[in-house]
């Protein structure tokens, strides 16, 4: 029986972007103007996002976990403290990269690459605990109505822009059937006349193959595609927010 999973899809999106940044840190041409600053900014943005994600979990998920499975909640609290220390050290190293002189840049780049991969290793272990300890504990001690309420409350706390950003980050990383189901829910929750622009807005991060597969599985009317191509009526963020809160 399918149960509401509060971690699965968002964690898949995080993993995909963590790995992609690791690859980019390793193969970037650090000698080009602006590349060091760009890589540093991406690292800082990612650690900021992961901290915000932890805060959201603490507010919306772990409160219920503390009530029903306090030992699992204590383990996650300790994980978050440990990771925050690691992220602080990583942030400092990222900020130093653009200040390195030209001769030292290649080694500074590789040092940040190694530090980033070490942080990924620690974060993957944390995700594993959430997915194999925390979520099963919630399944044992809470019903789907309670879990759905957590999911709804979290999405209600997001701005329309944040909801759209979350969808764009997550959709490329999930399987086609899951992607289609998520997008269909978003479209069904919004006004029909805005469906084309909504679909176009939330699918901007998909690969061409993913985009084509999604449109095919949704059986998108040709008129939607025309409106999307023309960029008419971008009310997608508002529609996405309503869908995520429904």
């Amino acid at each position: 029986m399918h149960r509401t999973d509060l971690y699965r899809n968002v964690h898949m999106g995080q993993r995909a972007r963590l790995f992609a940044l690791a690859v980019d840190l390793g193969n970037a041409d650090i000698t080009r103007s602006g590349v060091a600053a760009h890589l540093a900014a991406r690292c800082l943005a990612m650690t900021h996002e992961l901290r915000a994600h932890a805060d959201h979990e603490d507010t919306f998920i772990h409160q219920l976990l503390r009530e029903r499975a306090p030992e699992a909640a204590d383990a996650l609290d300790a994980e978050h403290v440990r990771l925050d220390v690691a992220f602080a050290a990583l942030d400092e190293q990222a900020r130093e990269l653009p200040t390195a002189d030209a001769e030292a840049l290649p080694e500074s780049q590789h040092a940040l690459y190694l530090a980033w991969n070490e942080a990924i290793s620690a974060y993957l272990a944390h995700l594993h605990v959430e997915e194999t300890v925390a979520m099963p504990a919630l399944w044992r001690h809470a019903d789907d109505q309670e879990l759905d309420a957590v999911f709804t409350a979290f999405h209600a706390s997001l701005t329309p822009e944040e909801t759209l950003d979350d969808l764009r980050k997550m959709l490329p990383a999930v399987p086609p059937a899951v992607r289609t189901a998520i997008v269909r829910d978003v479209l069904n929750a919004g006004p029909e006349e805005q469906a084309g622009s909504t679909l176009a807005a939330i699918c901007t991060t998909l690969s061409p193959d993913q985009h084509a597969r999604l449109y095919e599985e949704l059986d998108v009317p040709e008129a939607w595609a025309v409106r999307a191509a023309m960029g008419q009526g971008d009310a997608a963020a508002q529609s996405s927010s309503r869908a995520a809160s429904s």
Side-chain angles (χ1 to χ4, degrees):
M1 172 178 153
H2 173 74
R3 299 291 310 273
T4 299
D5 193 323
L6 302 174
Y7 296 110
R8 181 171 179 163
N9 292 337
V10 66
H11 284 182
M12 292 181 75
Q14 287 182 344
R15 285 183 174 99
R17 287 177 294 109
L18 287 166
F19 298 153
L21 182 50
V23 172
D24 291 347
L25 282 170
N27 67 18
D29 183 358
I30 202 71
T31 64
R32 293 181 59 189
S33 176
V35 170
H38 175 68
L39 292 175
R42 286 182 63 188
C43 289
L44 293 170
M46 192 71 205
T47 55
H48 175 78
E49 177 189 327
L50 296 180
R51 289 189 185 93
H53 173 73
D55 289 342
H56 290 150
E57 288 180 336
D58 192 57
T59 300
F60 295 100
I61 301 177
H62 298 167
Q63 181 177 347
L64 179 62
L65 192 64
R66 289 187 188 94
E67 294 173 2
R68 308 296 172 82
E71 291 184 0
D74 289 344
L76 291 184
D77 288 341
E79 286 276 313
H80 283 163
V81 171
R82 178 177 64 85
L83 286 170
D84 200 48
V85 172
F87 291 156
L90 189 62
D91 285 349
E92 183 177 356
Q93 194 164 355
R95 292 190 186 99
E96 291 175 353
L97 180 66
T99 68
D101 59 43
E103 186 176 348
L105 260 180
E107 288 305 313
S108 296
Q109 174 188 8
H110 189 64
L112 182 57
Y113 169 78
L114 294 178
W116 186 256
N117 279 278
E118 183 179 8
I120 288 177
S121 177
Y123 195 71
L124 292 179
H126 169 68
L127 297 185
H128 186 70
V129 172
E130 289 184 331
E131 293 164 348
T132 64
V133 176
M135 198 63 243
L138 286 170
W139 284 331
R140 286 193 300 271
H141 299 292
D143 59 33
D144 278 341
Q145 185 175 359
E146 291 173 302
L147 298 179
D148 288 341
V150 169
F151 192 78
T152 299
F154 164 67
H155 281 287
S157 74
L158 301 178
T159 66
E161 293 75 17
E162 289 171 333
T163 299
L164 181 59
D165 186 53
D166 279 357
L167 287 169
R168 286 170 168 167
K169 290 173 177 175
M170 180 178 62
L171 289 176
V174 299
V178 175
R179 184 184 307 119
T180 301
I182 291 171
V183 174
R184 183 176 286 118
D185 286 345
V186 170
L187 298 178
N188 288 341
E192 184 177 354
E193 65 273 12
Q194 295 172 356
S197 57
T198 298
L199 180 61
I202 64 178
C203 296
T204 57
T205 53
L206 299 182
S207 71
D209 286 346
Q210 289 175 332
H211 189 276
R213 172 80 176 268
L214 177 64
Y215 272 59
E216 179 183 353
E217 293 186 349
L218 290 172
D219 192 22
V220 172
E222 184 178 351
W224 286 20
V226 172
R227 287 203 303 270
M230 295 174 64
Q232 295 177 352
D234 187 5
Q238 197 66 43
S239 298
S240 299
S241 182
R242 284 193 292 270
S245 301
S246 63

